[in-house]
């Protein structure tokens, strides 16, 4: 796997851009005025996601108050941060792709492809498939946010990183629940994806933020 400009985080940023664009497109296709039963089901799933984001953001605002909105990164703070590490360490940190993120991203892509196929061809599990498709895309987005905020090394960023980690785990749980529902029908691929996801969720949960 090659990285533009030799920077794996730039490649991840491009990945996250695509995931966010996919989700934006999904939301645009589900306006409240649409009344078809299937789209109403999808609307409920999307509304659940919006409410979750709003709830976690409100909780964060209560914890850190106006600091969340006034946060700035000064040149001095950047210098102090890098001053704790050698230049070689800084280069190595930006030249190594995060292995957990990579495993999570590849798993999430597999689940999204699988869920899209089930959505198209399995009416019995259509809602489960859509719920998995929407929620699994949020997992690498949130994990990338954890990495980005944690790297800032200040108290506000630390609180944001913890919030993003909790959201990441929430979307993991929802995705795994839907995979488990499908797995009960005897679908071996769903069983494998569920087991792999449980392992990855545990690894994300055990990371110290």
């Amino acid at each position: 796997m090659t990285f533009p400009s030799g920077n794996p985080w730039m490649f991840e940023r491009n990945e996250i851009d695509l995931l966010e664009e996919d989700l934006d497109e999904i939301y645009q296709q589900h306006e409240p005025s649409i009344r078809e039963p299937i789209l109403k089901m999808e609307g409920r799933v999307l509304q659940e996601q919006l409410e979750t984001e709003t709830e976690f953001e409100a909780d964060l605002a209560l914890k850190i108050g106006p600091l969340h909105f006034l946060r700035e990164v000064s040149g001095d703070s950047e210098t102090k941060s890098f001053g704790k590490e050698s230049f070689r360490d800084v280069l190595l940190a930006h030249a190594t792709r995060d292995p957990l993120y990579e495993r999570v991203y590849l798993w999430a892509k597999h689940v999204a492809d699988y869920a899209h196929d089930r959505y198209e061809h399995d009416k019995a599990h259509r809602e489960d498939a859509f719920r998995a498709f929407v929620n699994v895309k949020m997992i690498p987005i949130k994990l990338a946010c954890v990495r980005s905020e944690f790297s800032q090394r200040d108290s506000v960023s630390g609180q944001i990183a913890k919030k993003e980690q909790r959201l990441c785990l929430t979307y993991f749980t929802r995705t795994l629940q839907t995979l488990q529902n499908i797995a009960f029908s005897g679908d071996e691929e769903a069983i494998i994806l569920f087991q792999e996801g449980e392992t990855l969720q545990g690894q994300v949960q055990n990371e110290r933020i």
Side-chain angles (χ1 to χ4, degrees):
M1 185 176 292
T2 59
F3 308 125
S5 303
N7 188 335
W9 285 104
M10 181 67 73
F11 188 81
E12 281 180 27
R13 184 60 240 169
N14 291 340
E15 292 170 349
I16 300 307
D17 285 339
L18 291 175
L19 288 170
E20 290 175 340
E21 288 170 8
D22 286 345
L23 288 169
D24 286 343
E25 185 175 347
I26 292 170
Y27 274 92
Q28 290 170 5
Q29 292 171 354
H30 296 81
E31 298 297 331
S33 60
I34 297 177
R35 292 290 180 264
E36 288 83 350
I38 292 176
L39 296 184
K40 287 176 69 176
M41 172 275 288
E42 295 176 351
R44 290 196 307 272
V45 174
L46 295 175
Q47 183 62 31
E48 177 186 47
Q49 192 173 94
L50 285 172
E51 290 174 355
T52 299
E53 291 288 326
T54 300
E55 178 184 344
F56 274 75
E57 191 65 29
D59 181 64
L60 176 67
L62 287 174
K63 289 180 179 177
I64 64 179
L67 291 175
H68 177 39
F69 304 100
L70 298 176
R71 184 178 55 151
E72 293 182 356
V73 179
S74 68
D76 290 341
S77 65
E78 288 182 352
T79 301
K80 291 176 182 177
S81 175
F82 284 115
K84 297 176 182 178
E85 301 176 277
S86 70
F87 185 63
R88 178 179 178 277
D89 290 337
V90 173
L91 289 177
L92 286 174
H94 287 81
T96 305
R97 186 170 172 81
D98 181 77
L100 178 57
Y101 168 86
E102 183 169 14
R103 291 195 300 273
V104 167
Y105 175 81
L106 292 175
W107 174 81
K109 186 178 185 303
H110 191 172
V111 173
D113 292 342
Y114 165 81
H116 184 269
D117 183 67
R118 292 304 296 253
Y119 177 83
E120 294 291 334
H121 301 105
D122 185 357
K123 293 182 179 179
H125 289 288
R126 194 161 197 173
E127 182 167 351
D128 285 322
F130 184 74
R131 187 178 296 275
F133 181 73
V134 170
N135 282 284
V136 79
K137 286 179 174 288
M138 294 297 292
I139 294 172
I141 291 175
K142 293 304 176 181
L143 185 56
C145 288
V146 172
R147 294 290 191 268
S148 176
E149 292 296 338
F150 186 68
S151 68
Q152 300 299 318
R153 302 182 183 182
D154 62 77
S155 60
V156 174
S157 296
Q159 289 290 337
I160 296 173
K162 290 178 181 178
K163 185 261 289 186
E164 297 296 338
Q165 185 187 41
R166 293 197 304 272
L167 277 168
C168 182
L169 293 171
T170 296
Y171 294 126
F172 252 119
T173 297
R174 291 178 183 172
T175 301
L176 292 174
Q177 286 173 344
T178 60
L179 288 174
Q180 191 172 45
N181 290 343
I182 300 173
F184 282 145
S185 67
D187 188 301
E188 292 190 6
E189 188 171 7
I191 295 171
I192 293 171
L193 289 172
F194 173 79
Q195 293 171 342
E196 292 175 347
E198 268 198 322
T199 300
L200 291 171
Q201 183 186 38
Q203 291 173 355
V204 172
Q205 188 169 10
N206 289 333
E207 286 205 319
R208 298 184 65 180
I209 302 298

